[in-house]
């Protein structure tokens, strides 16, 4: 009897609080909805099945994979209490979405229009999952490695006609008032006067940011949103140590614009003077702050530069961006281990680049002997080069992004910007060397067939020659050169690209949580449904 009582007491004292969610589920079987306390949405921008596949292929096949036990965050999302869905991403009345419309659809559960932020497709503001979570008494946060006012995070806490209106988006975000905002993009938060050397506000900002990055404003007014943020109770952080020391509501802006790309981050990771937090560090801080709330929290974390690497057709950078996502998600999974109160959704807003490894007719491997009995009298001699997995190690060893490679090249004096020097720079920082004639081809230009002086999308009269694909390489000069470099090394990387823009390929949806919490997120979905399920998950009723 006494033993039985002890056992019951033990269950009440120790088991019940830890598993209150699952207990509720068991004792109230008629209730169809079991709300998770916390909802964490992780968006890999541009992270289609191709990008997920790149990391998985690296993990399984790279001869010197640096991933422990060749396990990725995708494996861990599925290992227990995990499920998989496939989701279409198209926006209203179009085949392909941009990040703004897709983010808006995820955030609101409603169809949105291209390039709109937090609106339905008619242009009316719609409540977002973040705003709904605030109504439900939860803490909320947004974390990104791009600008915090960039399309993806903006869609969760702003309502504007166009994604480019980042100065207005910043105002909206403060009005929405998430507890945590961490990312880059100080330049839309500070008054125009900050561009004047003598202005008092500039001196104040230089002091605040401790010279970590240049001070410049993109605002066309005198509003200092940092002051507004302070009045609203935010602590401000501009570097890693300020962030680490902060508690309570936090606005952290760690660059004038986007944060560095994943290769640049890796290159400076062990530098004791590193002032910019990693995506993982920002996410950890966000959880530390948000998890104080007894009512739970909603947190959106964006790995935003997978998309940019894919726009650049930069496979080595894209692999590093996937690593950045991987370590961030792994941290979340470690935190959530053994919790039953948290729903984690890992997905993308769309696919970018149309990437894949492909086999070629170049470098056909030599015929060789096999021990199998059907090869006793003949050699094994496949007709094509199906790809050496060693390519994966070489992609991982890339030392600069294509963007930074071309920056280095264009920092040379005009006379030194020769094909020979381009080849030198490329061959120093990548393991896929280019020849002089390939460098010449990359630097060739022609009249831009799409150029019109009054067209806001195109600013260069002459662009690198991309033959017939210009329409899909919409970011012009540099992006075209990145694509040409990708083309030059394609047969050595076995990597092919279809576009410099997004594609309609459905994206994967990994969900982890209790059976009931994750159930809606599997199957074939559309992102508006995902948005509705998220909305439902954070709602009180
Ligand atoms: Mg984005
Ligand atoms: Zn994009």
């Amino acid at each position: 009897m006494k033993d039985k009582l002890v056992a019951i007491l033990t269950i009440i004292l120790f088991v019940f609080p830890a598993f209150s969610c699952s207990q509720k589920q068991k004792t109230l079987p008629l209730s169809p909805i079991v709300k998770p306390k916390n909802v964490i949405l992780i968006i890999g921008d541009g992270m289609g099945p191709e990008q997920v596949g790149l990391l998985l292929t690296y993990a399984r096949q790279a001869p010197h994979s640096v991933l422990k036990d060749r396990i990725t965050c995708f494996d861990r999302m599925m290992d227990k209490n995990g499920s998989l869905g496939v989701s279409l991403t198209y926006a209203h009345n179009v085949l392909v979405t941009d990040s703004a419309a897709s983010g808006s659809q995820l955030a609101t559960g409603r169809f949105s229009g291209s390039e709109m932020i937090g609106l339905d497709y008619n242009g009316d503001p719609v409540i977002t999952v973040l705003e709904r979570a605030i109504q439900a008494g939860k803490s909320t946060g947004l974390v990104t490695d791009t600008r915090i006012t960039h399309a993806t995070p903006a869609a969760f806490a702003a309502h504007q006609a166009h994604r480019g209106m980042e100065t207005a988006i910043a105002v909206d975000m403060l009005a929405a008032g998430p507890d945590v905002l961490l990312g880059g993009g100080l330049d839309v938060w500070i008054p125009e006067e900050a561009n004047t050397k003598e202005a008092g506000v500039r001196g104040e900002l230089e002091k605040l940011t401790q010279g970590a990055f240049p001070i410049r404003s993109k605002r066309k007014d005198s509003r200092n949103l940092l002051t507004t943020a302070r009045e609203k109770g935010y602590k401000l952080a501009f570097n890693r140590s300020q962030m680490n020391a902060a508690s309570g509501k936090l606005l952290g802006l760690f660059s004038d614009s986007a944060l560095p790309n994943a290769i640049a981050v890796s290159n400076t990771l062990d530098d004791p003077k590193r002032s910019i937090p990693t995506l993982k560090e920002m996410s950890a801080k966000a959880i530390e702050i948000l998890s104080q709330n007894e009512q739970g929290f909603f947190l959106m974390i964006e790995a935003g530069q997978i998309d940019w690497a894919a726009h650049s057709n930069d496979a080595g950078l894209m692999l590093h961006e996937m690593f950045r996502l991987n370590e961030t998600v792994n941290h979340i999974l470690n935190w959530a281990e053994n919790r039953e109160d948290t729903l984690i959704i890992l997905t993308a807003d769309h696919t970018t680049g149309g990437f894949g490894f492909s086999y070629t007719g170049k470098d056909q491997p030599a015929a060789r002997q096999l021990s199998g009995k059907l090869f006793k009298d003949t050699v094994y001699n496949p007709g094509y080069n199906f790809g050496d997995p060693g390519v994966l190690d070489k992609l991982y060893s890339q030392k600069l992004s294509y963007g930074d490679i071309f920056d280095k090249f264009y920092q040379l004096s005009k006379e030194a910007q020769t094909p020979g020097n381009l080849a030198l720079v490329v061959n120093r920082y990548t393991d896929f060397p280019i020849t002089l004639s390939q460098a010449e081809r990359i630097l060739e230009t022609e009249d831009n067939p799409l150029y019109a002086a009054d067209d806001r999308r195109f600013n260069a009269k002459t662009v690198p020659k991309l033959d017939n694909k210009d329409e899909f390489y919409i970011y012009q000069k540099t992006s075209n050169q990145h694509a040409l470099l990708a083309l030059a090394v394609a047969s050595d990387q076995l990597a092919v690209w279809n576009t410099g823009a997004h594609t309609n390929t459905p994206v994967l949806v990994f969900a982890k949580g209790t059976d009931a919490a994750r159930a809606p997120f599997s199957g074939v979905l559309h992102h508006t449904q995902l948005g509705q399920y998220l909305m439902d998950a954070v709602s009180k009723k």
Side-chain angles (χ1 to χ4, degrees), residues 285-299:
K285 185 66 191 185
I287 288 182
E288 178 195 312
I289 292 173
L290 300 178
S291 60
Q292 308 292 318
N293 187 339
E294 284 299 313
Q295 310 280 318
F297 64 85
F298 169 78
L299 170 62

Side-chain angles (χ1 to χ4, degrees), residues 45-46 98-99 163 307-308 311 349-350 352 475 500-502:
D45 196 315
D98 75 304
S99 294
R163 56 185 291 169
D307 176 64
W308 298 358
H311 277 294
D349 51 356
H350 54 73
T352 307
Y475 300 108
H502 304 168

Side-chain angles (χ1 to χ4, degrees), residues 245-517:
S247 58
K249 280 175 87 170
L250 175 60
L251 170 63
L253 298 165
F254 306 105
S255 176
D256 51 327
S257 188
L259 301 187
N261 68 65
I263 295 181
V265 170
S266 304
N267 290 345
T268 55
L269 199 60
D270 298 328
D271 182 347
K273 289 196 298 251
R274 173 172 64 92
S275 67
I276 303 176
T278 63
L279 186 63
K280 177 180 119 177
E281 289 166 345
M282 291 189 293
S283 304
K285 185 66 191 185
I287 288 182
E288 178 195 312
I289 292 173
L290 300 178
S291 60
Q292 308 292 318
N293 187 339
E294 284 299 313
Q295 310 280 318
F297 64 85
F298 169 78
L299 170 62
M300 193 289 298
I301 299 166
E302 183 199 23
Q305 298 195 34
I306 299 165
D307 176 64
W308 298 358
H311 277 294
S312 278
N313 294 182
D314 185 343
L317 176 61
M318 196 163 81
L319 179 60
H320 281 265
E321 294 297 347
M322 289 304 295
F323 266 82
R324 166 147 66 176
L325 172 105
N326 187 59
E327 70 158 15
T328 303
V329 177
N330 276 332
H331 176 85
I332 307 286
L333 291 172
N334 292 345
W335 176 81
E337 189 109 64
N338 302 321
R339 298 184 77 101
E340 295 216 338
D341 61 357
T342 301
L343 172 67
I344 304 170
I345 303 294
L346 169 60
T347 190
D349 51 356
H350 54 73
T351 302
T352 307
F355 167 82
F357 291 115
S358 189
Y359 63 89
T360 79
K362 196 186 157 195
D363 304 328
Q364 189 187 338
R368 59 193 172 95
Q369 301 288 333
L370 286 186
S371 59
K373 64 179 171 195
L374 288 184
F375 286 90
K376 218 168 73 191
D377 303 320
T378 183
V379 290
Y380 177 59
N381 191 18
Y384 304 98
N385 170 10
F386 286 91
D388 174 0
V391 158
L392 296 158
D393 285 338
K394 287 163 90 178
L395 284 174
Y396 182 72
S397 70
Q398 188 171 317
K399 291 288 178 296
L400 279 185
S401 70
Y402 285 3
D404 287 341
I405 283 173
F406 280 98
D407 278 355
K408 270 214 182 316
F409 174 72
Y410 286 112
Q411 277 160 16
L412 299 171
S413 67
K414 263 262 175 307
E415 309 79 65
Q417 292 172 16
T418 62
N421 279 333
L422 177 62
L424 270 180
V425 180
V426 169
N427 300 350
R428 183 175 305 156
Y429 295 106
T430 77
D431 276 350
F432 296 97
I434 58 168
T435 64
L436 191 62
S437 66
Q438 285 176 320
E440 278 167 5
R441 173 70 187 85
I442 292 167
L443 293 175
E444 257 177 69
T445 57
E446 62 183 354
D447 284 346
N448 184 353
L450 302 170
Y451 179 82
D454 58 349
D455 189 328
R456 68 187 162 87
R457 295 168 302 167
F458 301 104
N459 53 32
K461 256 189 166 155
T462 55
V463 290
K465 277 177 76 168
L466 257 182
D467 298 328
N468 297 321
K469 274 204 158 178
D470 310 71
E471 292 87 345
F472 298 106
Y473 284 83
I474 46 182
Y475 300 108
Q476 290 236 314
K477 190 176 166 186
T478 50
S479 167
N480 287 14
Q481 285 184 328
H482 302 173
L484 286 165
L485 175 53
L487 203 58
V489 298
S491 63
D492 292 334
Q493 289 188 345
L494 281 297
V496 292
W497 295 90
N498 278 322
T499 178
H502 304 168
T503 73
N504 74 316
T505 306
V507 301
L508 302 175
V509 183
F510 296 87
K512 201 179 188 70
T514 60
D515 292 354

